[in-house]
Amino acid sequence: MSQKPEDQDVDSDLKRVAIEGTLPLKAVGIENLKEANPYFMPPHRYLHPWFARRPTPASRLAILSSVLPPDVKANTLLDWMQIGPRDDIDVDIEQYVAEKKRTEDERDGNLEEHYGYPRPYTRTPTTDEKGEIHDLLRDHWDGELPTVLDPTAGGGVIPFESLRYGLPTAANELNPVPTVMLKVLLEYAPNVGSLQNELNEWGDRITEIAGEELTPYFPSDGERQTPSHYACTYAVDCPECGCDIPITKKWWLQKQSSSKGVAARPSVSEDETEIEYEVVRLPDDVEKSEYNPQDGPHTRSGAECLNCGIVMESDAIQEKIRDYDFRYEIYGVKYEKSDGGTAWRAPIPEDYEAQSRAADRIESDFDLSSLLDVPRYIGDEDRAGPYGVTKWRDAFTPRQLVTLHEYLQAYKECQQEILEKYDQEKGEAILAVLALVAGKTVDRNVRFAPLDISNGLLGNALGGKHFTLQWSFVENNLSAGNQDYHDTLDRVRDSYEEIATFLSDEDANDVQVSQSDAADLPLDSNSIQAVVIDPPYYDSIIYSEMSDMSYVWLKEYLGDIYPEIFSTDLTDKSEEAVANVAEYEEVASNSSSKSELAAEDYENKMAEIFQELYRVIEPGGVMTVMFTHKESSAWDTLTKSLIRSGFTVTSTHPITSEMPQRTDTRGGGSADSTLLLTGRKPVDADEDDSETIPTLWSDVRADTRQVAQEAARDLIDAGLSLTKTDVIISAFGPTLKVYADAYPVVDDQDQEVPPRRALEEAREAVTRVLVEEYLEGEGLDDLDDITEWYILSWLVHESETFDYDDGHQLGLGIGVDIDDIKRSTKIWGKKRGDIQLKTHDDRVQDITLPRDERSSRTPVDPDALSYTVALDAVHAAMHVYEKQGEDVAIDWLKQRSFDTDASFKATLKALLQVLPQNHPEWEAARDLALGRAHDALGLEFTPTDFTDDRDQGPEQSELSDHS
């Protein structure tokens, strides 16, 4: 349970709501994690790809606790959220759920059987439950049900859950793509209801029409061997011998393990001009020791010619592809067998003839020659522009474009019949859902979508946060196979049908869907009681840029149905509230970088949004912000925007919302937890507050550190399954409340102190709590600043790669400017703009080489007799142990008196506590601390002392937020 301060807002007339009290966060966090299972996600996630959808339990908690009175019991709240056993009203639900989580690994049966109740998203509150809630709400809100607004609704989880509780709901979204989803989710599903028969009928008709037209482009090799997937790459001419060079990194088609699966095996043709292929099965046809499909010709530096061995450099490859001096190379064909199964074969001449037929069609067919002839927005998330993908039609191979075009034409052929056969709303509903089906097929039939070798199927283009040409991609036959049009239709139809069962037609009477800038809402002033907003995540996702691929196709499908929604060539980039550095590429200067300008733009736009929300919320109304981001710069801009708009921060709650990431994966901008930050519009909102007296930073600083440390200790003790990074982020909430209560804050020079300073103090203060909690012994007091930063980085992030801003802020907290030490120490480097911590392999010169042959890029000399940085000494010792063995290492250690060096021992001990035990660096530290070296150093610990106490949660893979 979370604990909130006793003090209430200075506005004594303000009615408290449940979110300003104690909430059952642990149980809700557990349900969030259960919902993240990719096999049991809510149906709205399958309607169409979109980003960063919030979990149902977290959304329900934010909605209900923002409108319910404060005296609602935790059990009652959880019961209304459909969490907990249905038949035992006396059980403490939070304790019950926590115990079920603790015993998950001991269960018999599936998760639902173990917990004793269904996943919450599958259950809509009963009529009686809604009646109880509504009675309570009317008492609290002067006889009326409160209206809940989500002004940046995105995929629609918040307004959808609001509707399921029968609350008047308003949903707004700037981007046209999720706007269509919102119409389907919030208007058509409750109003029109089931469309199963209609979607089946028209889906069959579209497939029949398109499939007949596509037959020439997907030739069969024998009876009933229709191709479903063409595994493709690019081939360029070798500048030395003229032979084709395929640009694939791996030859796997379907990989079952490191040495088992199906692969393409290339060979040079007799005339040495092209590559021929056979399909082999490992280990049946060939052993991996004889042929390794992992070794494709393309590496980071370039691609090797299989005929003459010359390596074409990456720049030359990029130039070839940009100038369309390449051909699409087929190296494997998946087909349907007569028994209904699938298999892979090598390409045949007919496959290339069909490919040429598609290319000719693109040039000769007027409709195709102009289809998607729309310039692409080449922003910061784009990796394809430099390869010549400058128009949206360029993102597709000729066969992909022909395929998608034929399905579009089939849809258009049916469109008028559909509109004439049904009433307007039902006809539009059918067409909208069928358009979403088409949008999903595009996501897996484009040059940005990879071949998923784990199962020999299609990956999706929007799986990342940028557009990248894939070196292995797929041309998909939408009329055949297990990822065809009907497969996608079935998924979308079933999702829609399930959604329709969750809502009744009476729910739709209380919903308003709008498409507009959230800073200019089509709502009356003082008309909204509660806002629940999951705002754009700073620079984590550039939604408009990433949605353009879907937008250009949905416009082709729905442009004449919703002309007001699809009125522009691409989505709106200028009004979107994100920190988009690409928008400032041409205006940045020495005085203002593009990052600074983008941050300022985000802050201004969020301020405008919050000011608009302040306008539409009635005095005494509530705004709860669901924010999931790691960077303090994002919190800084969000907080300044919120405070300056007039809201009073009254409560904060951290809640686990995502699966914890593996320690070896690259972290993104979003955190594993969500912070619910609640602000209120004062009852006397119209009164002039110009007499506000600034508060001195020196008076605020101590309170900031104190509340941050108290929050961290409470979170650690509460067992909320937060990562260490999220403990820091979660402490931002109480910190920002202190700052907001004291706002405006100024230093002794009367200069305004931004929220970022308070967050820096909170980060450093919480880090000290983490050191006390997770590092045994004396901590890091005896270590130099550089070593301390390195160890703290591992402790906090539990990964060698993390956000630069986080690492920089961590350094400032202990007096280290990491940019100043980067070149001299090589203790860290940059990887895709993030920090990557370096290991002893990266930093220590090879002791087995003569001095004149050692790399000058490695700063640590293993022959040195002393070291000013303790980490250098430990890294050198690891290196000597690995290269020259235990005996030499012991002599080396004693010669340098490391057996009596407290900082050396403290560094080695700390590394054993903070490094992930599956990391090679931990193994190197372990080896150094075991055996006779352990005795020679006089260590009072062994690596096994820390193996049981490490804060290692269950290893989980990162999940995407769309399907």
Side-chain angles (χ1 to χ4, degrees):
M1 305 280 270
S2 65
Q3 299 296 326
K4 296 294 127 227
E6 294 295 329
D7 58 295
Q8 172 56 18
D9 189 84
V10 292
D11 190 339
S12 58
D13 295 328
L14 203 61
K15 296 179 182 178
R16 288 173 63 94
V17 288
I19 202 167
E20 292 165 329
T22 301
L23 297 180
L25 300 178
K26 189 167 187 177
V28 178
I30 290 169
E31 286 300 328
N32 289 337
L33 297 183
K34 285 168 59 183
E35 187 173 295
N37 187 314
Y39 299 104
F40 299 101
M41 290 195 295
H44 54 74
R45 287 183 177 249
Y46 299 100
L47 277 179
H48 193 274
W50 194 246
F51 312 94
R53 291 178 169 109
R54 295 298 92 212
T56 300
S59 300
R60 286 185 176 181
L61 179 67
I63 294 164
L64 291 177
S65 63
S66 295
V67 294
L68 285 168
D71 54 355
V72 174
K73 303 298 183 185
N75 256 24
T76 302
L77 182 57
L78 289 171
D79 193 53
W80 285 341
M81 292 175 63
Q82 313 302 304
I83 296 174
R86 303 288 94 189
D87 55 355
D88 191 347
I89 59 174
D90 296 324
V91 68
D92 184 312
I93 295 177
E94 183 146 52
Q95 289 184 10
Y96 174 91
V97 173
E99 179 62 17
K100 290 297 181 181
K101 177 64 177 176
R102 188 187 68 80
T103 57
E104 268 189 15
D105 293 340
E106 305 165 16
R107 73 180 187 271
D108 294 323
N110 59 34
L111 271 183
E112 187 169 306
E113 292 167 342
H114 175 69
Y115 276 84
Y117 59 91
R119 287 174 173 81
Y121 78 79
T122 66
R123 296 177 60 87
T124 295
T126 66
T127 301
D128 288 344
E129 288 172 327
K130 284 195 280 190
E132 287 183 73
I133 295 170
H134 289 184
D135 288 344
L136 201 58
L137 290 173
R138 287 191 176 97
D139 287 343
H140 190 67
W141 292 93
D142 301 325
E144 300 291 335
L145 290 179
T147 297
V148 176
L149 163 68
D150 183 353
T152 55
V157 182
I158 292 169
F160 180 64
E161 291 306 318
S162 177
L163 269 193
R164 292 178 79 175
Y165 282 88
L167 300 178
T169 302
N172 177 76
E173 173 58 43
L174 174 66
N175 194 299
V177 175
T179 298
V180 174
M181 288 186 268
L182 290 172
K183 293 183 73 66
V184 170
L185 193 66
L186 306 177
E187 294 182 345
Y188 297 144
N191 265 347
V192 178
S194 173
L195 291 173
Q196 180 164 322
N197 293 334
E198 291 82 359
L199 292 173
N200 287 341
E201 175 188 348
W202 294 104
D204 287 343
R205 179 79 178 278
I206 289 171
T207 300
E208 180 183 354
I209 295 170
E212 184 174 340
E213 296 296 326
L214 288 173
T215 300
Y217 303 99
F218 296 94
S220 298
D221 180 19
E223 186 178 357
R224 299 193 66 184
Q225 289 192 356
T226 303
S228 60
H229 301 69
Y230 286 96
C232 298
T233 185
Y234 305 93
V236 297
D237 292 338
C238 173
E240 186 70 22
C241 69
C243 184
D244 285 346
I245 303 178
I247 315 296
T248 186
K249 294 184 176 181
K250 301 173 185 176
W251 291 114
W252 287 109
L253 296 169
Q254 193 163 340
K255 183 180 177 183
Q256 294 172 266
S257 69
S258 62
S259 58
K260 185 178 182 180
V262 182
R265 188 175 188 178
S267 60
V268 179
S269 63
E270 286 189 11
D271 62 2
E272 299 183 346
T273 61
E274 59 186 19
I275 304 300
E276 299 173 341
Y277 300 96
E278 63 174 323
V279 169
V280 295
R281 288 153 185 82
L282 282 74
D284 297 340
D285 300 332
V286 60
E287 293 285 347
K288 186 179 178 182
S289 58
E290 179 185 350
Y291 171 62
N292 186 358
Q294 199 73 13
D295 298 334
H298 189 200
T299 64
R300 183 175 298 180
S301 59
E304 181 181 358
C305 177
L306 300 180
N307 183 44
C308 70
I310 191 175
V311 174
M312 178 180 280
E313 294 185 354
S314 296
D315 289 347
I317 292 171
Q318 183 181 100
E319 183 179 352
K320 288 272 190 182
I321 295 178
R322 183 180 64 240
D323 296 342
Y324 278 79
D325 188 10
F326 69 88
R327 72 183 183 113
Y328 296 110
E329 182 92 333
I330 305 167
Y331 61 92
V333 182
K334 193 174 188 179
Y335 63 92
E336 291 184 300
K337 298 192 296 185
S338 56
D339 61 4
T342 61
W344 287 91
R345 63 168 172 82
I348 56 176
E350 288 81 357
D351 296 320
Y352 287 106
E353 292 168 7
Q355 208 175 46
S356 298
R357 192 176 297 119
D360 292 341
R361 169 89 183 275
I362 292 292
E363 298 297 326
S364 60
D365 187 305
F366 176 78
D367 289 336
L368 267 169
S369 65
S370 59
L371 180 64
L372 302 190
D373 193 24
V374 181
R376 293 181 62 242
Y377 177 82
I378 309 297
D380 203 52
E381 302 302 319
D382 191 80
R383 312 288 185 270
Y387 289 89
V389 186
T390 57
K391 294 184 177 181
W392 269 109
R393 63 184 289 108
D394 301 332
F396 305 90
T397 71
R399 183 153 39 191
Q400 288 173 336
L401 201 58
V402 167
T403 300
L404 296 170
H405 169 75
E406 290 299 348
Y407 273 86
L408 172 63
Q409 294 305 109
Y411 172 95
K412 290 293 186 183
E413 189 173 324
C414 298
Q415 178 178 312
Q416 192 56 42
E417 290 184 61
I418 291 172
L419 291 175
E420 291 173 357
K421 184 174 182 178
Y422 308 100
D423 64 68
Q424 181 177 348
E425 187 171 32
K426 187 169 185 177
E428 289 181 359
I430 295 168
L431 291 169
V433 176
L434 290 173
L436 294 181
V437 173
K440 287 199 72 165
T441 65
V442 172
D443 187 34
R444 300 182 187 273
N445 199 24
V446 61
R447 292 165 67 189
F448 304 146
L451 168 66
D452 183 353
I453 61 174
S454 66
N455 52 26
L457 296 175
L458 305 166
N460 57 317
L462 296 176
K465 298 176 184 177
H466 48 74
F467 288 123
T468 302
L469 279 187
Q470 300 294 325
W471 300 117
S472 295
F473 60 94
V474 177
E475 293 179 321
N476 185 29
N477 183 0
L478 288 176
S479 300
N482 53 359
Q483 284 185 302
D484 63 359
Y485 180 86
H486 257 300
D487 175 68
T488 306
L489 172 66
D490 290 348
R491 291 171 185 269
V492 175
R493 180 204 61 216
D494 291 349
S495 297
Y496 174 85
E497 291 299 306
E498 188 173 1
I499 289 166
T501 66
F502 293 159
L503 297 169
S504 63
D505 56 0
E506 63 185 39
D507 295 322
N509 295 327
D510 283 328
V511 67
Q512 175 181 343
V513 177
S514 59
Q515 185 206 9
S516 67
D517 183 352
D520 186 19
L521 295 168
L523 296 169
D524 294 336
S525 298
N526 304 326
S527 62
I528 300 296
Q529 288 71 48
V531 168
V532 179
I533 177 175
D534 177 29
Y537 293 164
Y538 192 58
D539 62 353
S540 181
I541 302 171
I542 309 300
Y543 302 88
S544 58
E545 180 178 350
M546 293 305 299
S547 64
D548 274 348
M549 184 183 77
S550 302
Y551 176 84
V552 294
W553 281 104
L554 287 178
K555 181 177 181 178
E556 293 290 332
Y557 276 83
L558 296 171
D560 52 354
I561 304 296
Y562 309 123
E564 71 287 353
I565 294 178
F566 295 97
S567 60
T568 56
D569 287 340
L570 297 174
T571 59
D572 190 334
K573 310 298 186 297
S574 61
E575 299 302 325
E576 184 178 41
V578 293
N580 186 358
V581 296
E583 290 289 279
Y584 296 92
E585 195 80 46
E586 297 181 2
V587 297
S589 64
N590 292 333
S591 58
S592 297
S593 69
K594 60 183 181 181
S595 296
E596 292 170 331
L597 291 170
E600 181 181 352
D601 180 61
Y602 175 75
E603 180 182 338
N604 291 337
K605 284 191 168 71
M606 287 307 304
E608 291 170 0
I609 290 173
F610 286 136
Q611 288 163 8
E612 177 70 350
L613 296 179
Y614 191 87
R615 178 187 70 81
V616 302
I617 292 176
E618 69 176 26
V622 183
M623 178 177 69
T624 293
V625 182
M626 303 176 69
F627 203 59
T628 306
H629 207 288
K630 291 179 180 177
E631 293 186 35
S632 55
S633 53
W635 283 100
D636 182 69
T637 53
L638 180 80
T639 305
K640 283 189 287 188
S641 303
L642 189 148
I643 293 173
R644 289 172 179 172
S645 62
F647 287 97
T648 301
V649 177
T650 58
S651 71
T652 60
H653 298 269
I655 181 170
T656 304
S657 61
E658 311 289 341
M659 284 290 193
Q661 297 176 357
R662 291 181 185 269
T663 55
D664 60 348
T665 58
R666 175 178 181 263
S670 60
D672 297 327
S673 65
T674 291
L675 194 69
L676 305 181
L677 189 150
T678 298
R680 304 294 296 272
K681 180 176 178 178
V683 173
D684 55 355
D686 295 330
E687 293 186 9
D688 185 10
D689 61 353
S690 59
E691 299 300 320
T692 302
I693 300 173
T695 309
L696 282 174
W697 170 238
S698 57
D699 295 334
V700 177
R701 184 179 179 186
D703 291 341
T704 295
R705 294 184 65 85
Q706 181 180 345
V707 298
Q709 289 181 328
E710 289 175 354
R713 292 190 180 97
D714 289 345
L715 291 168
I716 292 169
D717 294 340
L720 293 178
S721 301
L722 301 176
T723 65
K724 296 183 185 72
T725 301
D726 284 333
V727 170
I728 294 176
I729 302 301
S730 298
F732 283 179
T735 300
L736 294 175
K737 187 177 185 309
V738 169
Y739 177 90
D741 289 344
Y743 184 82
V745 181
V746 297
D747 59 20
D748 54 9
Q749 302 297 316
D750 204 32
Q751 297 296 310
E752 183 174 344
V753 175
R756 187 184 186 96
R757 288 278 297 279
L759 299 178
E760 290 169 3
E761 287 292 329
R763 183 187 297 276
E764 200 277 331
V766 174
T767 299
R768 294 301 156 194
V769 172
L770 295 175
V771 169
E772 294 172 10
E773 182 71 22
Y774 295 105
L775 291 186
E776 296 181 7
E778 297 76 25
L780 308 178
D781 293 343
D782 294 332
L783 300 185
D784 58 273
D785 292 344
I786 293 174
T787 300
E788 182 179 2
W789 177 81
Y790 185 87
I791 290 170
L792 288 178
S793 295
W794 273 112
L795 171 69
V796 170
H797 301 289
E798 304 172 274
S799 172
E800 66 186 22
T801 306
F802 50 89
D803 181 78
Y804 169 83
D805 183 64
D806 286 344
H808 187 254
Q809 294 300 324
L810 184 61
L812 294 179
I814 59 175
V816 175
D817 187 329
I818 62 172
D819 292 322
D820 289 346
I821 65 170
K822 181 174 182 285
R823 182 183 296 272
S824 60
T825 67
K826 297 291 173 61
I827 200 172
W828 69 277
K830 278 203 171 182
K831 180 181 180 182
R832 299 177 184 173
D834 287 345
I835 284 175
Q836 184 175 45
L837 297 175
K838 298 299 185 181
T839 65
H840 74 283
D841 283 338
D842 303 313
R843 304 184 64 241
V844 184
Q845 298 168 9
D846 190 343
I847 197 170
T848 64
L849 296 176
R851 279 189 170 276
D852 59 355
E853 295 182 18
R854 296 181 188 178
S855 173
S856 60
R857 292 178 294 179
T858 47
V860 179
D861 180 3
D863 292 323
L865 296 177
S866 63
Y867 300 90
T868 57
V869 176
L871 181 68
D872 292 355
V874 174
H875 274 177
M878 290 178 180
H879 173 81
V880 173
Y881 189 98
E882 285 186 353
K883 291 289 186 178
Q884 297 185 317
E886 186 176 51
D887 291 340
V888 175
I890 289 172
D891 291 341
W892 186 93
L893 291 165
K894 287 185 174 181
Q895 287 170 5
R896 290 157 179 78
S897 300
F898 287 139
D899 54 335
T900 59
D901 189 317
S903 63
F904 181 94
K905 296 179 186 181
T907 301
L908 181 58
K909 182 179 181 179
L911 287 174
L912 286 166
Q913 294 177 84
V914 300
L915 289 166
Q917 291 177 19
N918 60 353
H919 196 285
E921 196 74 348
W922 186 86
E923 295 173 0
R926 175 202 60 194
D927 293 345
L928 185 62
L930 286 176
R932 291 190 296 113
H934 175 275
D935 296 335
L937 284 169
L939 299 179
E940 297 177 356
F941 60 87
T942 64
T944 55
D945 291 339
F946 313 118
T947 55
D948 294 330
D949 296 332
R950 290 170 55 80
D951 182 30
Q952 289 187 317
E955 230 180 47
Q956 304 284 359
S957 59
E958 183 178 2
L959 299 172
S960 64
D961 276 324
H962 57 277
S963 59

